[in-house]
Each structure stands twice: as structure tokens, then as C-alpha cells.
Amino acid sequence: MRKNFGAKTYLYPLPVLIVAAYDENGTPNAMNAAWGGISDDNQVALCLSAGHKTTKNILAKGAFTVSMADAAHVVECDYLGVVSGNKEPNKLAKAGLHAVKSEFVDAPVIEELPMTLECKLIKVTQEGLILGEIVNVSADESILDNSGKIDPAKLRPITFDPVNNKYIQLGEVVGNAFRDGLKIK
Amino acid sequence: MRKNFGAKTYLYPLPVLIVAAYDENGTPNAMNAAWGGISDDNQVALCLSAGHKTTKNILAKGAFTVSMADAAHVVECDYLGVVSGNKEPNKLAKAGLHAVKSEFVDAPVIEELPMTLECKLIKVTQEGLILGEIVNVSADESILDNSGKIDPAKLRPITFDPVNNKYIQLGEVVGNAFRDGLKIK
């Protein structure tokens, strides 16, 4: 038997994206967003309300970064979601986070978060989605495996549970994409 | 030190969405998609190439469902991604999956996958994104907790690792959203 919950924005897994941009004076700000993801080849889509300080900054600068929230920085990443950059201009510093300018776009890379997508604003769609071109993905050496690839077991990305308002980290590998299904074929 | 990977569609976590729709004869089909997510209040966005059988079906019927791939059905869900519905019209049956019509929209609910978003097509955007209105979320009683809410530890949703082509299940709860950050505030 199934239970119906009505119209809800329930989805598993939802990401915890830390979206960062500079304002016109070069002050970095960042927010926490679960409504977004990959929307095409080398493209991200974000649903951010127009009132956010970060939204204004993205439009002003035409660039932003998207870092993965990780288990090591749950408190800091949640803080970026509960406090508005319109009221607290020093959010990053207050969270103990540090920003350096991306080598590729005019946007801040948060040093403490070890994996970051560096993006140029493509456009805001008619429907209000912010589309960004992924120009570069950077990752700290501490989260790479022996062959130099990103290792999610070291990154420890978190996901947002929209039903219970929890953060959940990734667990065990349970299968091989583009391979396990060939058993049926 | 950070390593640069260039323009890649790396993001953690990416979902494993099983998107299902009927064709004009009422035959259900389904595919596996990692490029999609919540795009607004009660709205999903999917990036599906026009050539997919499921894309044609969504446009023909104006409705679709999005089920969460889970650890109990890794092989079946991967199969839906490696075989084209244009070549194998009987994909669902071949995977041992069964479809019943949604109570809310003209689209198939896959009985074996315990959590499903039932959606009406809103539009295809200028950029080619498929936007759907979430009309209902349904979940099998087997994945509910004692208070009747969806329990992700019972659902065991999987995520797609785009760097290593693995499926990873969710693990431990590591924080409380909208609460842990208040310690800094």
C-alpha cells in the first residue's frame, strides 16, 4: 500500500550546494541551496530567490562558485543557510571560512570546502532559473585517491533530507553504473 | 593545494531518477537520469535528450513520474539506463518491474520502487529543460517511520558518482538543517 503526501518537494538525494559570489565591492558572500543540479553538459541550474544577497551578487558579477557541503563542515554550511547575507555582510568570516578568488572566474572559492565548481553565469531563464557554465572543477589534494581522482569517501559530501530536515552523508558503494544492468540485457 | 579538472559535470550528490511515462498506446517505459532535481516550489526539472523514448512519451502524454532508484534495485535501475526504449519496447517487463497507472496523472508508477513523484508536464523551456509540476508524492508503507513519514534509512536511495561511475547509498545522519548553524549565529 502507498501513502499519498500531496504536492511536496521531496526528492532523494537533494544536494547541499554552497553558492558563493562577490558583491560589487569584492566582498564574498555565500548561501546554502538544495534546489539545483546539473542541467546540461557542463551546466548547472540553481533555483535561488531574487531577494538573496548571493543572487544579486551573481547578477552583478556574472560568475559564481558551487562548493559541495561536506560532513566536516556541517555547522558552517548550515549557518550559511540560516543567516541572510543582506543582514550579516560578514557571513563567511563569522563562519570561520576563508575565500580566495578563483583562477578562472570572478568569484570566490571557499578554501575550507574541498570541491568546487567554478561557473560563469549563462543567463537567468524566463522561469527564473540561474544557469551557469562550469568552467572548471577544482578539488583539494586531500580528497583525491591514489590515481588523482576525486574520492567521495574522502570528500564526504552531505545531502539534505527534505522530509526530516536532516543532513545525511553518503555511505557505501552498492553498484557499478553502466555495468550492473548489463546482467539483465 | 587544489587540482583543476577542467569543465566537468561533477557534482555530489547527483540523484538517480527513474523517469517513467506511457506512450500513445499506453505502454509504459522508463529511463535513468542523473541530470535533474527540484527547480522551484513543487516543481522538478529534467535534462533529457530529445531522442529518448521517455522524452517522446512525456511530450505525447503531458505527464510522467520520477521514482527514486534504491539500493534494493540497483541492477534493475542501471538496466533502465543502459538499454534504450527505442530498441527494447518491453524494458520494464524485462527488468522484472511492474507499472500501475498513477491515481493523479496519466503516467505509470513502478510498483517495486517505493517512492514516486507524480508530475504533470508544465513545459519544455527554451533551453530544453523539461519542467514538471509535482502533483503528488507517494511512498510505500514499508519505507515509513512510526509517525508515518518517509524514512530515508528504509528507502535507501542511491546516488550516482560521476567521477567513478558508481552508485553510492546514503549513510549516517550527520546534522540538523536550519538548526546546527544557529550555534554560530
Side-chain angles (χ1 to χ4, degrees):
Chain A
M1 276 290 290
R2 282 189 183 238
K3 177 173 174 178
N4 296 317
F5 289 89
K8 299 280 180 187
T9 43
Y10 291 170
L11 192 121
Y12 291 97
L14 285 176
V16 183
L17 306 173
I18 304 301
V19 184
Y22 288 120
D23 71 7
E24 282 152 333
N25 303 317
T27 304
N29 196 3
M31 64 177 287
N32 173 325
W35 291 1
I38 300 291
S39 52
D40 206 342
D41 205 20
N42 298 331
Q43 189 189 100
V44 290
L46 301 172
C47 173
L48 309 179
S49 304
H52 288 297
K53 179 71 176 159
T54 300
T55 308
K56 296 171 197 163
N57 288 354
I58 290 172
L59 297 179
K61 286 288 186 175
F64 59 97
T65 63
V66 179
S67 295
M68 308 304 117
D70 65 348
H73 301 94
V74 168
V75 172
E76 293 89 339
C77 292
D78 189 55
Y79 172 77
L80 296 177
V82 293
V83 169
S84 166
N86 289 314
K87 292 182 184 168
E88 173 55 80
N90 242 346
K91 260 171 93 173
L92 280 176
K94 210 163 170 197
L97 300 172
H98 301 84
V100 291
K101 191 173 166 181
S102 159
E103 294 172 51
F104 300 89
V105 297
D106 188 9
V109 173
I110 299 173
E111 291 185 289
E112 287 79 5
L113 299 180
M115 178 181 162
T116 304
L117 280 52
E118 294 155 73
C119 304
K120 275 186 196 163
L121 176 66
I122 298 171
K123 70 191 296 190
V124 180
T125 73
Q126 280 185 352
E127 299 80 18
L129 282 172
I130 293 171
L131 301 183
E133 179 194 348
I134 304 169
V135 176
N136 184 59
V137 176
S138 64
D140 194 82
E141 287 176 349
S142 61
I143 63 157
L144 305 182
D145 65 17
N146 289 336
S147 64
K149 290 198 295 184
I150 293 169
D151 182 348
K154 293 182 177 178
L155 171 61
R156 297 174 66 215
I158 59 173
T159 163
F160 173 57
D161 172 352
V163 175
N164 306 289
N165 286 344
K166 300 284 183 188
Y167 295 119
I168 303 176
Q169 68 178 5
L170 300 196
E172 286 168 41
V173 172
V174 293
N176 302 291
F178 315 117
R179 218 172 78 192
D180 288 352
L182 299 175
K183 292 174 199 167
I184 296 177
K185 191 180 174 187
Chain B
M1 275 289 291
R2 284 191 181 236
K3 178 174 173 179
N4 296 317
F5 291 88
K8 300 279 180 189
T9 43
Y10 292 169
L11 192 121
Y12 290 97
L14 285 175
V16 183
L17 305 173
I18 304 300
V19 185
Y22 288 120
D23 72 7
E24 281 151 336
N25 303 316
T27 304
N29 196 3
M31 65 178 287
N32 172 325
W35 291 2
I38 299 292
S39 52
D40 206 342
D41 205 19
N42 298 330
Q43 189 189 99
V44 289
L46 301 172
C47 173
L48 308 178
S49 305
H52 287 298
K53 180 70 175 156
T54 300
T55 309
K56 297 171 197 163
N57 289 354
I58 290 172
L59 297 179
K61 286 289 186 175
F64 58 97
T65 62
V66 179
S67 294
M68 309 304 116
D70 64 349
H73 301 95
V74 168
V75 172
E76 293 88 339
C77 291
D78 189 55
Y79 172 78
L80 296 177
V82 293
V83 169
S84 166
N86 290 312
K87 292 182 181 165
E88 174 55 81
N90 240 347
K91 259 171 91 172
L92 279 176
K94 212 164 169 196
L97 299 173
H98 301 84
V100 292
K101 190 172 167 182
S102 159
E103 294 172 51
F104 300 89
V105 297
D106 188 10
V109 172
I110 300 173
E111 291 184 290
E112 286 80 3
L113 300 180
M115 179 181 161
T116 304
L117 280 52
E118 295 155 70
C119 304
K120 276 187 195 162
L121 176 65
I122 297 171
K123 70 190 297 191
V124 181
T125 72
Q126 280 186 352
E127 299 79 19
L129 282 171
I130 293 172
L131 301 184
E133 181 194 348
I134 304 168
V135 176
N136 185 57
V137 176
S138 65
D140 194 82
E141 287 176 350
S142 61
I143 63 158
L144 305 183
D145 65 17
N146 289 337
S147 64
K149 289 198 295 182
I150 293 170
D151 182 350
K154 293 183 176 176
L155 170 61
R156 297 174 66 213
I158 59 173
T159 161
F160 172 58
D161 173 353
V163 174
N164 307 289
N165 285 343
K166 300 284 182 188
Y167 294 120
I168 303 175
Q169 67 178 5
L170 300 196
E172 286 168 42
V173 172
V174 293
N176 302 291
F178 314 117
R179 218 172 76 190
D180 287 352
L182 299 176
K183 292 174 201 169
I184 297 177
K185 190 180 176 187

